[in-house]
Amino acid sequence: MSKKKEKKNWKTSTLSIHGYEKINKAYHSVSTPIVHTSNYYFDNCQQVWEFMKAKREGRVFREHEYGRYGNPTQRECERKLAAMEGAERAILFSTGMSAVILTIMAFMKPGGHIIFTNDCYRQTRDFATNFLGNFGIEITMVEPNAKAIEAAIKPNTNIIFTESPTNPYLRVVDLKSIVKVAKKHKIMTIIDATLATPYNIKPLEFGIDVVVHSATKYLGGHNDLLAGVTLGSNELLEPLNKLQRMIGAIPGPLTCFLLERGLKTFALRMEHHNRAGQAIAEMLEKHPKIERVWYPGLKSHPDYKTAKSQMKGFGSVITFLIKGDKKKTWKFIDSLELFLITPSLGGSESLVTQMSTMSFFDYPEEYRQSIGMVDNLVRIALGLEDIDDLIEDLKRALDKI
Ligand SMILES: *Cc1c(COP(=O)(O)O)cnc(C)c1O
């Protein structure tokens, strides 16, 4: 750690390519070789003995032992992700949701209480509301602000789990005030910062304890892999490390190769995503066929001030209401040429979804309405196409309704 502290003040783009330092690679290969193996052999019994002895003493004699514990491309991605986030440690998972769920499981306590902020990722919400009760964990869903969180704190509260920006309404939580409340009550804080990415905010710098990302999104960046990552201090993440080794919900060697490749262009891609998001949100807000737009970089967004004060940019997810009913909304979506109809975000291809059908179809109508999933609500996730081409495509599709 002291060594890392001495390192130059490298920026995200440099860190995503080299990590905190340049390291030697097998065969002097520039990219990290993919090691497709389930286990790693020892040369003789003496080596096994040395390995086990070192492990017991917390030393590293040799890194790899068995595939469920990790693989070389995974370690390389973890090293870079930790550097980008300013964390001591990153642990990669097979998906964003395995990172979210296992992180909660590593820290939850029987009889404990977890506060979640609402408008959170659908599967996180379902895990909280449908599963945590089975483990004897109480949960409360509150508005994404420090006041609501503090009001929900009980004597048994041990985790505050937030998300920022949220999805689809892109609510931004004020990290300073949440950390203040959490520290006052000695409660640990976990944030799913998938939509922000370490390019736009580094929650650990604000005092948040643990950060989770779906690396499927901006970090991977090409709509071609699934992965998740949890970041924090070595000490804090040790229980999660143990759980991870037991379960082995790790991304395979090839997935990690793709993720590492994606990380090399991460900062460049984020600059484009931020620029595209702002330009297109502003265009949509002025458009006569649009009723309302949610984007944290717009003055009209309820969390504009907070977002401006703590984030570098706001990414490329934009949510809006079409003026009209379901039929018009479908017509608009079906008229788009450059947007693929599918959930997810943060990749090279632009995507579009009508949230009420795509993500909340199986919820009862009344509940769906109560969480704001109305039929004319559209979410777009801009890709890396030319911004003017995207604007033209959106305008052309809006002209059709
Ligand atoms: C996509 C997403 C997840 C889940 O990630 P997967 O990689 O799809 O499992 C969790 N949280 C947020 C905010 C997401 O956008």
Side-chain angles (χ1 to χ4, degrees):
M1 187 58 207
S2 60
K3 213 172 158 200
K4 280 174 203 163
K5 282 242 166 81
E6 288 163 27
K7 285 287 156 203
K8 312 124 196 134
N9 251 341
W10 285 342
K11 302 285 190 299
T12 308
S13 53
T14 312
L15 293 169
S16 74
I17 293 168
H18 296 292
Y20 286 124
E21 60 201 329
K22 261 165 62 183
I23 60 159
N24 294 329
K25 300 255 172 77
Y27 308 110
H28 292 91
S29 166
V30 172
S31 62
T32 309
I34 300 167
V35 182
H36 237 292
T37 186
S38 54
N39 34 4
Y40 302 80
Y41 70 87
F42 293 88
D43 292 329
N44 52 50
C45 294
Q46 177 69 28
Q47 220 180 51
V48 180
W49 193 83
E50 294 291 348
F51 177 80
M52 289 303 167
K53 189 162 169 279
K55 203 158 95 166
R56 193 176 60 196
E57 291 165 5
R59 286 183 291 115
V60 179
F61 170 74
R62 193 189 91 168
E63 192 159 11
H64 294 287
E65 173 186 6
Y66 187 60
R68 195 180 65 238
Y69 305 152
N71 62 73
T73 33
Q74 179 188 343
R75 289 286 169 267
E76 187 58 5
C77 283
E78 288 174 345
R79 193 175 76 78
K80 289 176 178 173
L81 287 163
M84 290 159 66
E85 193 75 57
E88 259 179 17
R89 178 86 192 265
I91 302 179
L92 267 174
F93 294 86
S94 50
T95 62
M97 276 320 295
S98 50
V100 167
I101 291 177
L102 292 171
T103 302
I104 293 170
M105 290 184 91
F107 300 110
M108 67 189 192
K109 291 199 178 107
H113 172 237
I114 307 179
I115 297 172
F116 287 87
T117 47
N118 59 20
D119 192 34
C120 65
Y121 190 69
R122 151 109 203 240
Q123 305 294 343
T124 304
R125 178 202 305 272
D126 284 358
F127 176 68
T129 52
N130 302 339
F131 276 87
L132 281 175
N134 300 343
F135 298 102
I137 315 285
E138 274 186 277
I139 69 130
T140 307
M141 286 268 173
V142 301
E143 280 290 298
N145 63 65
K147 225 173 165 182
I149 289 172
E150 185 155 36
I153 291 174
K154 302 181 186 193
N156 58 339
T157 307
N158 68 315
I159 300 174
I160 296 169
F161 188 102
T162 66
E163 197 175 305
S164 184
T166 63
N167 174 17
Y169 288 108
L170 304 155
R171 300 299 307 270
V172 176
V173 298
D174 179 353
L175 296 188
K176 266 193 207 134
S177 61
I178 284 174
V179 167
K180 207 166 140 193
V181 165
K183 291 230 187 304
K184 185 168 129 199
H185 296 270
K186 298 192 168 55
I187 301 168
M188 89 174 284
T189 45
I190 307 175
I191 190 165
D192 177 341
T194 300
L195 267 68
T197 82
Y199 188 78
N200 285 330
I201 197 166
K202 293 182 175 44
L204 299 177
E205 288 177 359
F206 289 77
I208 294 282
D209 295 310
V210 174
V211 179
V212 181
H213 296 288
S214 165
T216 309
K217 314 294 168 55
Y218 293 110
L219 293 168
H222 294 76
N223 289 321
D224 60 3
L225 65 85
L226 288 162
V229 62
T230 299
L231 305 112
S233 71
N234 279 318
E235 192 188 346
L236 200 55
L237 293 194
E238 194 42 38
L240 181 62
N241 179 42
K242 290 210 170 79
L243 194 61
Q244 165 72 315
R245 289 168 67 91
M246 279 175 218
I247 295 175
I250 57 161
L254 176 60
T255 296
C256 294
F257 178 87
L258 290 172
L259 175 56
E260 193 196 350
R261 189 184 161 103
L263 292 182
K264 295 181 192 191
T265 54
F266 170 70
L268 282 175
R269 289 186 287 102
M270 287 314 296
E271 272 172 41
H272 179 93
H273 283 304
N274 285 345
R275 230 176 328 113
Q278 189 67 37
I280 289 175
E282 283 172 15
M283 181 282 283
L284 289 171
E285 190 164 52
K286 284 191 218 113
H287 200 283
K289 300 258 174 82
I290 302 285
E291 192 179 309
R292 184 166 174 194
V293 182
W294 285 267
Y295 184 74
L298 293 179
K299 285 204 178 87
S300 57
H301 191 278
D303 302 320
Y304 171 76
K305 276 201 186 118
T306 308
K308 270 279 186 204
S309 73
Q310 64 183 25
M311 296 172 79
K312 188 166 165 181
F314 315 102
S316 62
V317 176
I318 306 168
T319 305
F320 51 93
L321 289 171
I322 295 280
K323 273 188 191 156
D325 55 5
K326 183 166 93 181
K327 220 169 123 205
K328 279 202 171 167
T329 308
W330 283 17
K331 179 114 196 263
F332 161 71
I333 291 176
D334 291 347
S335 305
L336 289 165
E337 216 177 317
L338 291 174
F339 290 74
L340 301 169
I341 304 176
T342 172
S344 201
L345 60 105
S348 27
E349 293 79 11
S350 288
L351 315 176
V352 60
T353 68
Q354 186 216 13
M355 297 292 291
S356 64
T357 312
M358 184 69 84
S359 306
F360 293 88
F361 189 71
D362 49 339
Y363 276 29
E365 176 68 22
E366 208 172 296
Y367 181 67
R368 202 160 57 212
Q369 297 281 337
S370 79
I371 57 170
M373 294 306 146
V374 290
D375 281 340
N376 57 336
L377 187 73
V378 176
R379 188 189 76 188
I380 54 174
L382 306 168
L384 300 175
E385 300 92 342
D386 183 87
I387 298 173
D388 292 336
D389 289 342
L390 291 172
I391 288 179
E392 205 173 294
D393 194 32
L394 287 160
K395 280 187 172 165
R396 202 186 36 77
L398 285 166
D399 284 345
K400 295 247 169 86
I401 62 170

